[in-house]
Amino acid sequence: MPASASSPPPPARPPTNSRHEDLIGRLSSSSSHAKLKALRDLKNQIIGNRTKKLCFLKLGAVPPITSILSSAAGGGDDAELNVSLIIQSAAAIGSFACGFDDGVKAVLDAGGFNILLSLISYPNDKVVSAAARSLKFIYQSKLAPRYDFLQGNNMEFIQSLLNSENENVTGLGASIITHSCQTNMQQKALSDTGIIKKLICMLGGSVTQKEASLESLATILKGNPDVILKFMEPENGGALGTVNELTKDKNARTRLLACMCLIVIRNSSPSCLQDLRIKTKLILILLELLEDDQVGDEAPFALSSLIAEKEDLQVLAFEANVIDKLVNHLRKGPLLSRRLEGILIALANMCSRLERCRDRLLSLEAMKFVTDALSQDSGEVRAAACICLKNVSRSVKNLSAGLFMNENFVVPLVRLLFDDLTFVQVSALDAISNIVVDFLAHKKIFMQCGGVKQLAQLSKSMDSTIRVKAVCALRNLTFLVNDQCKEEILSELTQSTLGSLICDPETCVQEQSLALVRNLVDGPLDSIQHVFAADALLLHAVGQQLQSASKAEVLIQGMYVFTNVASGNEVHKEAVMQELFPPLANDSESVMLKFLHSDDSRLRTAAVWALVNLTFPSSSGAFGRVMKLRNAGVVSQLKNMVNDPCLDVKLRARTALGQSMTSDDGST
């Protein structure tokens, strides 16, 4: 007989998963010895292995471990076995939490945090150490509970931790401070209760204590000059000198944290660290730490915090060849994402103010590394590359040369406008806003790449930050372009969308939208016609904002729109008059008169510029407009402004007043 066909056997379960499930099962064994062995096996498997941590998390490992910890902490017949179970389960929980937010969340959800905290007062020092170590791992995560030092006996608890003879416990106390201290009031309270003195004492302890203390001190001192002055007092035994000495420590992480503490002091109270040698030393140490495997990823971020927005330190860094050395790191080949991000941010800060820094970076042909980074897998790296490009492109000289408006930069930037990460989109919009200012006729490249279409889409975003930055980029794109480009931009954006943006709930969007319209109507008569399309929708929207807005920046941009429109023909000038002096308005003071009385010289300047164009004597309707201005009290106010403290206002007011007089004379 022919053999009958049999069904294929079911696929075998992957042996690895089976072993993992078996291990989880042993955590619920009735035998305490079996549980102990399972805890050790599990801990050894997950240490330093994120993949295995995630695998065991999905299999539900944390709740049974927490259950073992809770039962053992409650006591048992075999005290020695009980202690071992506590130590191993606490260590396993700490391993899950170490550098792994998903693990921290699982521990918190299972109630492991409170059990560990209760073990800090356990009578066995090894148990206390194990619990404190695991709690420190939890406190490295942003998910850890914050401690309110101002409530109840919480400050006394922190003091008891710092006064412990167990260095793991003192380290825990410092970690809690680093994670939880967020306000000036908390900083002051910690300082007033002598916490700073205890932390200073810890600077002479073990490596663990030094590092925990330096991080906590930086947190307490950050942005608080009063607490820094207290830290600097002689009674603290030359604390600044101690921190300064630790920048020479043999341990790289200690050196980095000491530098970061000094940077916090310098940034928060510049008068405390004026010594040029210390500033230069900080730059050189951080450059040296860039080479270190342990802290090399964090060193460029510390360097950035030292030089950001500080031209004097950027000069020092430039003279120390920081740009060359950072670029050399980029040339060495593939870097881990964190280090690459840090180097790009450091280069961005170096190029934020000084033209010589931008020139040096460009001369090293380093921009190819920046453009490559725009396509990196890491969103943080993509954003950092955008920030770097934004700062390098602040150069008028390089923009005038059309250096950035080419496909190497434009194509990847436009691609980032579609990025899934909002912070990457924001960074890309900032970079685009700079490079589209380009003074040459290269803007067509951006439009051909679909950039305008996507900017128009982003201008409708529910996120106000995205919205304002998209409009800002469109504003800069319309700067000094021909009318054909303006037509293309408007066809994508549409009159109705731009009209809505002018009246957006966010004043920053209103301001940028009005500035965009200002650029659209800047130029020949054809440009001015854009605000008269669709029954003058844009013109009326601008007029409405001038009548209702209160923010000076919005009013200034609106007045410059009308200034540009009033530079046109009679129809244009009369339309502006209708908006500024509506026929159905009551006898209240006109907005023009309010603007001329403004305390903001920029608004007064914009208003008198509009009057200069409205009263131009060769215009056939100038006399009628001057009469209307005279009746509204505007001409009288112009007479009061001929000696305005602002030179621009004074000059334009005299011009407008002179033209008004000429129009009067011409009529007679």
Side-chain angles (χ1 to χ4, degrees), residues 2 23 54 56 216 222 260 290 309 320 348 351 373 400 444 453 482 486 494 507 555 559 570 572 588 601 651 655:
L23 184 51
L54 186 58
F56 279 110
S216 290
K222 188 174 183 178
M260 291 170 70
L290 255 174
E309 302 302 322
C351 296
S400 299
K444 202 76 175 171
K453 187 179 185 68
N482 59 38
K486 292 178 182 178
T494 74
T507 55
L555 298 172
M559 278 310 303
E570 279 299 308
H572 301 147
S588 62
S601 63
L651 293 176
T655 300

Side-chain angles (χ1 to χ4, degrees), residues 9 41 57 95-96 122 163 194 208 224 241 252 258 288 303 308 322 377 425 433 450 479 497 596 619:
D41 290 346
L57 276 185
S95 295
F96 273 113
Y122 201 84
N163 287 327
T208 302
N224 198 322
E288 175 190 311
L303 178 62
V322 163
D377 290 339
Q425 287 183 308
S433 289
F479 179 64
T497 298
L596 294 176
S619 301

Side-chain angles (χ1 to χ4, degrees), residues 173-248:
S175 296
I176 293 173
I177 292 170
T178 301
H179 178 76
S180 304
C181 181
Q182 293 186 303
T183 68
N184 284 352
M185 191 177 295
Q186 289 175 331
Q187 290 171 322
K188 184 178 185 303
L190 288 165
S191 174
D192 290 345
T193 51
I195 296 293
I196 284 182
K197 286 185 179 179
K198 182 57 187 173
L199 291 172
I200 292 169
C201 291
M202 287 170 61
L203 293 176
S206 67
V207 171
T208 302
Q209 288 181 312
K210 287 176 187 175
E211 293 178 357
S213 173
L214 286 167
E215 287 188 282
S216 290
L217 284 171
T219 301
I220 296 172
L221 300 174
K222 188 174 183 178
N224 198 322
D226 293 336
V227 174
I228 288 173
L229 284 176
K230 196 161 186 177
F231 170 79
M232 305 276 283
E233 287 176 355
E235 65 186 69
N236 285 324
L240 182 63
T242 302
V243 175
N244 195 19
E245 279 300 308
L246 289 175
T247 62
K248 307 171 190 174

Side-chain angles (χ1 to χ4, degrees), residues 655-666:
T655 300
L657 187 61
Q659 290 179 172
S660 299
M661 300 305 179
T662 302
S663 296
D664 279 350
D665 292 343

Side-chain angles (χ1 to χ4, degrees), residues 59-329:
L59 292 172
V62 171
I65 296 173
T66 305
S67 178
I68 294 171
L69 179 66
S70 178
S71 297
D77 295 335
D78 190 333
E80 187 177 343
L81 179 59
N82 235 40
V83 166
S84 295
L85 284 168
I86 294 174
I87 291 172
Q88 291 302 321
S89 54
I93 287 174
S95 295
F96 273 113
C98 183
F100 191 51
D101 281 347
D102 287 342
V104 173
K105 185 177 185 305
V107 171
L108 295 174
D109 290 345
F113 176 82
N114 289 331
I115 301 171
L116 289 171
L117 203 59
S118 69
L119 292 173
I120 296 300
S121 57
Y122 201 84
N124 184 297
D125 200 49
K126 289 182 179 178
V127 167
V128 172
S129 291
R133 278 195 298 270
S134 293
L135 285 167
K136 281 195 294 181
F137 289 139
I138 293 172
Y139 270 105
Q140 288 171 0
S141 167
K142 61 181 182 294
L143 300 178
R146 298 207 183 274
Y147 209 75
D148 189 348
F149 307 106
L150 305 178
Q151 290 293 319
N153 297 322
N154 287 355
M155 190 68 78
E156 286 79 2
F157 176 67
I158 292 295
Q159 287 175 316
S160 72
L161 295 180
L162 295 177
N163 287 327
S164 172
E165 294 181 2
N166 185 317
E167 71 172 48
N168 287 302
V169 176
T170 56
L172 170 61
S175 296
I176 293 173
I177 292 170
T178 301
H179 178 76
S180 304
C181 181
Q182 293 186 303
T183 68
N184 284 352
M185 191 177 295
Q186 289 175 331
Q187 290 171 322
K188 184 178 185 303
L190 288 165
S191 174
D192 290 345
T193 51
I195 296 293
I196 284 182
K197 286 185 179 179
K198 182 57 187 173
L199 291 172
I200 292 169
C201 291
M202 287 170 61
L203 293 176
S206 67
V207 171
T208 302
Q209 288 181 312
K210 287 176 187 175
E211 293 178 357
S213 173
L214 286 167
E215 287 188 282
S216 290
L217 284 171
T219 301
I220 296 172
L221 300 174
K222 188 174 183 178
N224 198 322
D226 293 336
V227 174
I228 288 173
L229 284 176
K230 196 161 186 177
F231 170 79
M232 305 276 283
E233 287 176 355
E235 65 186 69
N236 285 324
L240 182 63
T242 302
V243 175
N244 195 19
E245 279 300 308
L246 289 175
T247 62
K248 307 171 190 174
D249 195 89
K250 64 181 180 180
N251 183 280
R253 180 163 172 76
T254 302
R255 294 202 302 279
L256 175 66
L257 292 173
C259 287
M260 291 170 70
C261 192
L262 291 175
I263 291 168
V264 162
I265 294 170
R266 167 69 179 77
N267 290 348
S268 306
S269 185
S271 60
C272 293
L273 271 181
Q274 290 289 350
D275 193 330
L276 193 65
R277 291 170 300 178
I278 293 180
K279 298 175 188 176
T280 304
K281 182 181 77 170
L282 285 173
I283 292 168
L284 296 175
I285 292 172
L286 291 171
L287 282 174
E288 175 190 311
L289 290 173
L290 255 174
E291 308 282 351
D292 188 87
D293 292 336
Q294 182 191 9
V295 299
D297 290 351
E298 302 306 316
F301 290 98
L303 178 62
S304 288
S305 67
L306 175 64
I307 62 175
E309 302 302 322
K310 293 181 277 295
E311 198 168 305
D312 60 326
L313 283 161
Q314 289 167 16
V315 170
L316 281 178
F318 180 79
E319 291 170 350
N321 293 322
V322 163
I323 291 179
D324 294 60
K325 291 174 181 177
L326 291 174
V327 170
N328 284 340
H329 278 279

